[in-house]
Amino acid sequence: MSDNTPRVSVTYENHIAHVRLTRPDKMNAVDQAMIDAVIAAGLEVAASDARVCVISGEGKGFCAGIDVGSLGAMIGKDP
């Protein structure tokens, strides 16, 4: 991970969990930090009293898919 910027935010309102991907500068592209954050968010929501989970992304798009620039590091190879 190249920075310590949070990749996901989780908020709650009236038994509704809101999980938001927070990497709009990269169209919320998925890197290893995002994967880890989404897993952690899922575990947090599962342990909460939320009845519904809404997943969204900041910025113009929900998620651009895999961050190709970080793919080498994700599979354990130098880019």
Side-chain angles (χ1 to χ4, degrees), residues 21-45:
L21 308 180
T22 57
R23 200 173 178 217
D25 57 315
K26 297 284 188 176
M27 296 278 300
N28 298 311
V30 177
D31 61 0
Q32 187 61 52
M34 177 81 75
I35 292 169
D36 296 342
V38 168
I39 291 170
L43 293 171
E44 177 185 326
V45 170

Side-chain angles (χ1 to χ4, degrees), residues 8-9 18-22 28 54-58 61-63:
V8 173
S9 69
H18 296 271
V19 176
R20 182 177 295 267
L21 308 180
T22 57
N28 298 311
V54 177
I55 303 173
S56 61
E58 285 185 0
F62 167 66
C63 179

Side-chain angles (χ1 to χ4, degrees), residues 12-18 49-52:
Y12 299 92
E13 182 179 347
N14 299 324
H15 300 285
I16 301 170
H18 296 271
D49 65 349
R51 298 178 189 157
V52 175

